[in-house]
Amino acid sequence: MARPKSEDKRNAILAAATEVIAEQGLGAPTSRIAKLAGVAEGTLFTYFDNKDALLNELYLDIKADLREVMMATYPMRASTRERAQHVWNQFVDWGVAQPQKRRAMAQLVVSDRLTESARATGMQSFADINAMIEESVASGTLRDHPPAFVSAIMAALAETTMDFIAREPAHAERYRRAGFEAFWNAIAQH
């Protein structure tokens, strides 16, 4: 009879995968991930059928963490600009506080190893934000860009902002505000 799977071991594998992928990229060996997680490589494959399954689960795990941070205090009834600024601030703060997750996610989102199902689930996690974008486009508040494109613009500008905050933490608020203004000017109708 097979042993029941441990949530602690699964989480340890995902944490190790985050660290190893952030450092070595998607080509990092599963043996390194298993060693860092404190499990045998065979155990890793008890939890994840193959490396692609691990990468897809890691993507969803990081997306879930980011969603929790962004949406816990999301101001549903605020203006479009206030909601966009909330999302921006939460994302930038998360990225600065979680550099390994940020680096791992940056590699995962451009990977052809992610399934369409994982990508769709990841986007669905942010349905409230996507709905806000679509409503704001329809009302003329935002430019007519698809939500995925708006997210890509935000991610690119946020990466620059996070890099500057990491280099010059004393100027974090200045960079956070300047980054948001650049983002808002890229998406808002004027």
Side-chain angles (χ1 to χ4, degrees):
M1 179 183 217
R3 278 193 196 169
K5 292 180 182 176
S6 158
E7 194 66 24
D8 289 342
K9 279 187 186 176
R10 180 184 180 282
N11 291 340
I13 293 167
L14 290 171
T18 299
E19 185 175 333
V20 172
I21 288 168
E23 292 171 2
Q24 298 181 3
L26 298 177
T30 54
S31 59
R32 173 87 174 100
I33 294 168
K35 182 177 181 179
L36 188 60
V39 300
E41 191 171 8
T43 301
L44 184 147
F45 292 114
T46 299
Y47 288 83
F48 304 97
D49 290 340
N50 54 47
K51 188 173 181 182
D52 285 352
L54 170 61
L55 295 176
N56 280 272
E57 282 299 315
L58 179 60
Y59 170 80
L60 292 173
D61 188 66
I62 295 172
K63 281 283 195 178
D65 181 59
L66 180 56
R67 184 197 189 293
E68 186 176 312
V69 166
M70 279 186 177
M71 302 309 291
T73 58
Y74 182 70
M76 292 291 286
R77 303 213 189 301
S79 71
T80 300
R81 183 182 171 100
E82 290 168 327
R83 288 183 282 169
Q85 186 147 24
H86 169 84
V87 168
W88 172 269
N89 289 341
Q90 296 302 103
F91 180 48
V92 168
D93 291 350
W94 174 86
V96 170
Q98 304 285 341
Q100 289 183 322
K101 286 184 179 183
R102 175 183 154 214
R103 284 193 301 273
M105 180 58 76
Q107 294 184 50
L108 289 164
V109 298
V110 297
S111 172
D112 60 357
R113 298 176 85 167
L114 290 184
T115 65
E116 286 306 314
S117 174
R119 288 182 193 279
T121 301
M123 279 297 280
Q124 187 58 36
S125 297
F126 299 92
D128 292 335
I129 296 169
N130 292 335
M132 181 264 296
I133 292 169
E134 290 170 359
E135 291 164 11
S136 298
V137 166
S139 73
T141 304
L142 296 182
R143 298 172 196 255
D144 190 7
H145 298 312
F149 186 68
V150 172
S151 294
I153 291 170
M154 184 176 87
L157 290 170
E159 286 295 321
T160 300
T161 302
M162 291 179 235
D163 287 344
F164 273 82
I165 290 171
R167 277 190 293 233
E168 300 177 42
H171 299 289
E173 190 53 38
R174 174 184 176 199
Y175 292 130
R176 187 181 294 106
R177 275 195 315 267
F180 177 74
E181 288 303 319
F183 171 59
W184 183 251
N185 288 330
I187 66 169
Q189 288 283 23
H190 296 292

